[in-house]
Amino acid sequence: MPPKLELSLMLFYSNFNKASLNMRIAINECIENHHQSFQIKTTAVNYDREKNICHQYGVTGIPTFLVFLNQELVGRHYGEITIKEIETIIQMIRLR
């Protein structure tokens, strides 16, 4: 059996932004659905406290969602996305 692909999900959020908080929930649900297909790592970056990391990744607004496959950036999404949209992103990565 081939090794699992390494999928990293990075969310830039704020505790004062409802869309950010909704995405944190959606990401956690997606992890539950796909943990057998991928080795999934998540990172949540507080936009209000981690300005240096935001600058490093070119993030200027929230929520921003970055997707890495085997440490390569393969997706960047701005604004709130739904669990269905996150599922679609993961499906597209699986088909690569």
Side-chain angles (χ1 to χ4, degrees):
M1 182 174 205
K4 289 183 183 179
L5 296 173
E6 182 181 307
L7 184 65
S8 298
L9 309 175
M10 181 178 271
L11 175 65
F12 293 82
Y13 75 98
S14 171
N15 288 325
F16 306 105
N17 180 275
K18 185 170 175 40
S20 297
L21 300 177
N22 290 341
M23 284 189 63
R24 289 182 82 176
I25 294 167
I27 289 168
N28 287 331
E29 289 180 25
C30 284
I31 290 170
E32 289 295 318
N33 295 338
H34 294 281
H35 71 277
Q36 294 179 359
S37 302
F38 294 98
Q39 177 182 336
I40 301 176
K41 297 178 183 177
T42 61
T43 304
V45 179
N46 187 314
Y47 182 82
D48 302 312
R49 295 184 182 170
E50 302 290 340
K51 294 293 185 182
N52 57 335
I53 297 173
C54 295
H55 180 72
Q56 177 182 348
Y57 287 95
V59 173
T60 58
I62 51 168
T64 298
F65 180 58
L66 304 181
V67 181
F68 298 85
L69 179 62
N70 297 326
Q71 301 180 349
E72 177 185 343
L73 180 64
V74 295
R76 179 182 291 262
H77 307 275
Y78 303 100
E80 183 175 5
I81 57 178
T82 65
I83 187 169
K84 184 173 177 150
E85 292 169 313
I86 296 170
E87 293 277 349
T88 299
I89 292 165
I90 291 173
Q91 291 294 340
M92 295 297 290
I93 290 170
R94 182 179 287 151
L95 296 174
R96 286 182 159 210

